[in-house]
């Protein structure tokens, strides 16, 4: 399906937009067209580069200690020292101000003006749904893994939606390691937020009251057999066609919010030749996932493969081993589109694959 077109050294993939791939090369930020591979220098002599967003039509990222906009003429405009962008909200940005203690969360509109500012420090997990942000919050240096929070993106008003400890602390599987219940956010809609609790239970929480409305402890496969939930890591996959799909490890599953069903669609994962595949991460691209994986047979557990998982076919339709140097490993799942795939390894080599 794809062939290796070229390799480029000293490249780190930052992230992508619909049309562009952002990469760092020798302290410079470049935008690569996902249509024709042309490259544009956005900024040079940078100390560091973080995720690129847009504000007022300009690329914006945290670099050299500040949130910085790169204007059309190539000049840089500092938005705020110690500011880090967290999420794109339409044309606005959600930003953490780390220059103050405790940290503060603010919303910037497209003109760069503050809409609101609150004393909130986000943890690593958050989901934007409509006018709401569901998130893990930090209290000082400590993350509160047991509390699902809800924030109004319009006003900045926030509250604890539910503390999971009273109900789920007794079910934590490893109390020597975890002193709180913990969760991974999976999806949200206007009525509820869905999360995996303690790695072994999927719950639905009412988005307004914080009440637990459903609990699922098993997947049901197509034969009606029950398989226990085991989702101890970040829940990779994505939302497509009204369902939340999970593509993780050696399984492919779906959660249907309308019926509350959790269905195992394929386990274990196999490629078109019948060989086992283990997925470490994925990026959703329209009706398929771009995956970072390893083959489970004869691979010595090397994370050295990229591939395509087709949602409609429920199958890995293409997979290949990336020709990396010994000891190297892939950093993330591939970015790209129908025409090109981009992936980088731990030696900062960028591999560009072209559709046959």
């Amino acid at each position: 399906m794809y062939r290796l077109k070229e390799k480029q050294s000293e490249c780190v993939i930052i992230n992508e937009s619909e049309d562009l791939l952002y990469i760092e090369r020798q302290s410079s930020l470049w935008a690569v067209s996902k249509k024709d591979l042309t490259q544009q220098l956005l900024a040079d002599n940078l100390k560091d580069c973080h995720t690129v967003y847009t504000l007022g039509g300009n690329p914006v990222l945290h670099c050299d200690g500040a949130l910085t906009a790169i204007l059309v003429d190539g000049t840089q405009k500092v938005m705020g020292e110690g500011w880090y962008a967290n999420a794109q909200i339409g044309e606005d940005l959600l930003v953490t101000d780390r220059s103050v203690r405790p940290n503060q969360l603010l919303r910037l509109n497209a003109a760069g003006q503050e809409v609101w500012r609150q004393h909130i420090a986000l943890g690593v997990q958050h989901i934007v749904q409509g006018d709401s942000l569901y998130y893990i919050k930090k209290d000082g240096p400590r993350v509160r893994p047991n509390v699902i929070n809800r924030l109004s993106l319009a006003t900045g008003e926030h509250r604890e939606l539910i503390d999971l400890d009273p109900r789920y602390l007794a079910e934590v599987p490893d109390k020597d390691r975890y002193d709180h219940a913990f969760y991974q956010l999976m999806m949200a809609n206007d009525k509820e937020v869905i999360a995996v609790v303690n790695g072994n239970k999927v719950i639905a929480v009412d988005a307004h009251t914080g009440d637990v409305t459903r609990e699922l402890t098993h997947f049901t496969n197509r034969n009606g057999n029950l398989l226990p939930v085991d989702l101890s890591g970040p829940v990779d996959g994505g939302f497509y066609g009204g369902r939340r799909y999970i593509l993780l490890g050696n399984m492919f599953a779906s959660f249907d919010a309308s019926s509350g069903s959790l269905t195992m669609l394929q386990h274990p994962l196999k490629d078109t030749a019948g060989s086992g595949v283990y997925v470490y991460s994925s990026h959703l691209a329209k009706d398929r996932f771009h995956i970072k994986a390893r083959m489970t047979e004869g691979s010595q557990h090397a994370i050295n493969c990229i591939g395509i998982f087709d949602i409609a076919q429920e199958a890995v339709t293409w997979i290949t081993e990336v020709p990396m140097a010994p000891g190297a490993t892939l950093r993330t799942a591939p970015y790209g589109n129908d025409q090109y795939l981009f992936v980088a390894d731990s030696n900062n080599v960028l591999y560009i694959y072209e559709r046959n």
Side-chain angles (χ1 to χ4, degrees):
M1 185 179 292
Y2 290 86
R3 64 175 182 85
L4 180 61
K5 177 179 175 61
E6 60 183 271
K7 297 191 294 184
Q8 299 180 13
S9 60
E10 300 184 22
C11 293
V12 176
I13 295 177
I14 304 300
N15 65 300
E16 69 175 346
S17 67
E18 183 177 355
D19 302 315
L20 300 172
L21 179 80
Y22 297 103
I23 64 172
E24 180 187 1
R25 180 192 297 119
Q26 296 179 325
S27 301
S28 297
L29 178 66
W30 294 78
V32 181
S33 168
K34 291 159 65 176
K35 181 179 180 180
D36 58 16
L37 302 184
T38 55
Q39 300 191 17
Q40 177 188 3
L41 176 64
L42 298 179
D44 55 12
N45 300 316
L46 301 178
K47 295 178 183 177
D48 58 358
C49 291
H50 293 258
T51 303
V52 180
Y53 296 89
T54 59
L55 192 67
N58 299 309
V60 177
L61 74 157
H62 180 90
C63 60
D64 298 349
L67 188 69
T68 303
I70 302 171
L71 305 183
V72 176
D73 62 2
T75 59
Q76 299 178 24
K77 178 183 177 181
V78 173
M79 310 297 296
E81 296 288 340
W83 288 12
Y84 291 78
N86 299 110
Q88 189 88 45
I89 313 296
E91 296 183 352
D92 295 5
L93 279 183
L94 201 61
V95 175
T96 293
D97 182 356
R98 297 185 186 174
S99 69
V100 294
R101 295 291 185 273
N103 294 167
Q104 295 179 356
L105 190 69
L106 55 125
R107 179 171 179 166
L108 292 181
N109 64 20
Q113 301 166 329
E114 290 188 23
V115 178
W116 50 256
R117 177 183 282 259
Q118 294 285 359
H119 289 280
I120 297 173
L122 295 183
V124 295
Q125 288 192 65
H126 53 263
I127 290 181
V128 174
Q129 169 59 38
D131 178 50
S132 296
L133 177 85
Y134 299 96
Y135 63 100
I136 284 182
K137 185 174 69 171
K138 295 172 63 177
D139 287 338
R142 182 177 176 81
V143 175
R144 300 185 67 195
N146 53 304
V147 177
I148 300 177
N149 302 272
R150 183 184 183 190
L151 178 142
S152 167
L153 293 170
T155 65
E157 180 185 1
H158 59 99
R159 68 183 179 93
E160 291 188 358
L161 186 62
I162 182 174
D163 182 348
L164 300 172
D165 273 355
R167 185 163 181 159
Y168 298 109
L169 179 58
E171 301 175 10
V172 170
D174 186 353
K175 291 186 174 57
D176 292 332
R177 182 179 178 186
Y178 301 104
D179 56 2
H180 286 286
F182 57 93
Y183 67 92
Q184 289 88 37
L185 293 170
M186 194 162 73
M187 63 169 283
N189 55 36
D190 293 338
K191 296 180 179 180
E192 58 190 10
V193 56
I194 310 299
V196 181
V197 178
N198 296 337
N200 56 23
K201 184 173 292 186
V202 175
I203 67 169
V205 178
D206 187 286
H208 303 284
T209 66
D211 295 332
V212 176
T213 58
R214 281 198 302 273
E215 292 184 351
L216 298 171
T217 58
H218 290 83
F219 293 102
T220 302
N221 65 18
R222 290 192 169 106
N223 296 323
N225 300 320
L226 297 181
L227 302 172
V229 170
D230 182 9
L231 296 169
S232 56
V235 188
D236 251 13
F239 194 75
Y240 174 78
R243 294 187 177 188
R244 175 56 162 85
Y245 286 94
I246 303 166
L247 184 62
L248 180 69
N250 62 354
M251 73 171 188
F252 177 58
S254 73
F255 176 80
D256 187 340
S258 60
S259 65
S261 59
L262 188 62
T263 306
M264 184 67 68
L265 301 172
Q266 187 182 146
H267 183 275
L269 290 180
K270 294 184 181 296
D271 66 7
T272 54
S275 299
V277 177
Y278 193 96
V279 174
Y280 284 87
S281 61
S282 62
H283 292 140
L284 179 62
K286 296 182 180 177
D287 57 354
R288 64 185 192 171
F289 292 107
H290 299 158
I291 64 172
K292 177 182 82 171
R294 66 173 171 86
M295 307 303 293
T296 57
E297 302 164 13
S299 64
Q300 289 76 50
H301 301 291
I303 308 173
N304 61 354
C305 294
I306 61 172
I308 302 296
F309 188 97
D310 186 283
I311 296 176
Q313 297 184 50
E314 300 180 6
V316 178
T317 55
W318 173 79
I319 192 166
T320 190
E321 183 176 322
V322 179
M324 300 180 296
T329 190
L330 297 175
R331 289 188 180 274
T332 67
Y335 293 91
N337 52 23
D338 289 341
Q339 187 173 3
Y340 295 106
L341 292 179
F342 309 88
V343 69
D345 69 14
S346 54
N347 289 334
N348 296 338
V349 176
L350 174 67
Y351 303 84
I352 302 176
Y353 283 79
E354 183 178 38
R355 192 178 185 92
N356 293 335

